Amino acid sequence: MPARPRIPDPRKGHLEKFAFDLRELGVGKVGVSWIAAQDDALASRPALYAALSGTRLPHPVTVSTLLRWWAGNPDDERASVYPRDPIWGWIQRLPADHEARTVASEWKARYQRLARAEERRRWAKNRKWEPTPPVQIDIPPEQHMLIAQLKEMIERTELGQDMWLLFGSDTLRMERYLSGKVIPRHSSCVRIVLICASFHQDQESDTEYEIERLCTAADLARLARVRERRIARKASRAAVRN
């Protein structure tokens, strides 16, 4: 790491603005070197510093590692909670009413918006200079898992054959989710869970946990589709060159 790390200029774009604000979030808190030295840190010291430079989009694990100590509070995490998400699961270990959980969730959402914007920007740049035809991809395994979760929630209501009783005018949209044509956004995930929970025979279900679980599955499915499209585009361009 250079003696004088590059400080991003927040006026130059969203990526630099994010890195600048992330630096500001860490002012007065534990240092990058200290975070990297922790046994449960998932990113290296160089990667953590690079995330603060604003030169390129950092990996979600790197951002999550910084946010765990700067936006969250590892001392307040509940060790008894075992979330499935290996990247952002620490947020679920914070108490539901903990202020840090709200702050961390807001930063997570901001990073994901930035990642989608950067993906669109790179796609537009590649399309401008090296056009490729639209690609078709199969439903990735992560999206199949999301669909399975949706089906399981609907089956528990015992109204799987009459979904219109559950979702009314949103039934067609639910059918698109179940067919893999569309991935629900977070607001839709919350609505789906609340609707199904009101019909569940099992009143002991943890609605908050179900919302986190479904939102995480939707995020993973969305990232998987980006990955599969990237792979398909590379194969398509290679075929054109050959």
Side-chain angles (χ1 to χ4, degrees):
M1 187 68 190
R4 295 181 179 179
R6 178 184 183 278
I7 298 178
D9 185 346
R11 299 169 298 179
K12 288 187 175 180
H14 296 295
L15 186 58
E16 296 230 352
K17 171 66 173 170
F18 180 85
F20 181 85
D21 290 347
L22 193 58
R23 278 175 169 267
E24 291 295 301
L25 180 68
V27 172
K29 300 177 182 176
V30 295
V32 169
S33 297
W34 187 90
I35 294 175
Q38 302 310 298
D39 292 338
D40 53 350
L42 300 178
S44 66
R45 179 173 175 270
L48 295 175
Y49 273 118
L52 301 174
S53 68
T55 54
R56 63 180 181 179
L57 181 71
H59 192 278
V61 166
T62 307
V63 176
S64 176
T65 299
L66 289 171
L67 291 178
R68 187 181 177 208
W69 272 272
W70 289 352
N73 190 338
D75 291 337
D76 293 338
E77 292 175 12
R78 296 167 294 178
S80 59
V81 176
Y82 299 97
R84 295 188 178 186
D85 184 355
I87 298 176
W88 302 99
W90 57 269
I91 298 178
Q92 299 174 35
R93 288 198 295 268
L94 292 167
D97 58 347
H98 201 297
E99 181 181 0
R101 181 165 182 162
T102 300
V103 175
S105 296
E106 291 172 351
W107 271 95
K108 172 188 172 183
R110 180 179 175 183
Y111 171 76
Q112 290 174 332
R113 289 195 300 270
L114 177 66
R116 290 193 292 270
E118 283 296 297
E119 177 64 25
R120 289 193 295 268
R121 184 188 64 79
R122 288 195 296 265
W123 179 83
K125 181 179 179 180
N126 291 336
R127 187 181 184 189
K128 180 178 179 181
W129 297 109
E130 192 176 357
T132 57
V135 295
Q136 299 293 326
I137 62 172
D138 295 328
I139 297 176
E142 292 87 346
Q143 191 173 358
H144 278 299
M145 293 177 63
L146 168 65
I147 293 170
Q149 285 189 30
L150 290 171
K151 289 182 177 179
E152 188 271 338
M153 291 172 58
I154 293 171
E155 288 173 0
R156 285 173 56 198
T157 67
E158 299 183 356
L159 293 173
Q161 301 301 318
D162 299 294
M163 283 206 305
W164 63 272
L165 292 174
L166 281 170
F167 303 109
S169 60
D170 289 335
T171 300
L172 291 178
R173 183 178 301 176
M174 278 300 305
E175 290 175 349
R176 289 171 62 82
Y177 297 154
L178 294 172
S179 67
K181 294 179 180 179
V182 180
I183 295 174
R185 296 185 178 277
H186 280 199
S187 57
S188 298
C189 289
V190 173
R191 176 173 169 78
I192 292 168
V193 171
L194 293 179
I195 290 174
C196 290
S198 66
F199 284 87
H200 283 165
Q201 299 297 323
D202 177 12
Q203 297 299 324
E204 299 299 324
S205 60
D206 188 337
T207 302
E208 182 180 345
Y209 169 74
E210 292 294 338
I211 289 174
E212 290 278 1
R213 181 168 172 258
L214 191 61
C215 287
T216 297
D219 287 340
L220 294 177
R222 199 170 288 109
L223 290 173
R225 291 193 67 87
V226 171
R227 178 196 69 217
E228 295 302 314
R229 283 196 296 269
R230 185 184 300 116
I231 294 172
R233 284 197 297 270
K234 287 182 179 179
S236 178
R237 286 196 290 266
V240 171
R241 294 193 193 100
N242 296 331

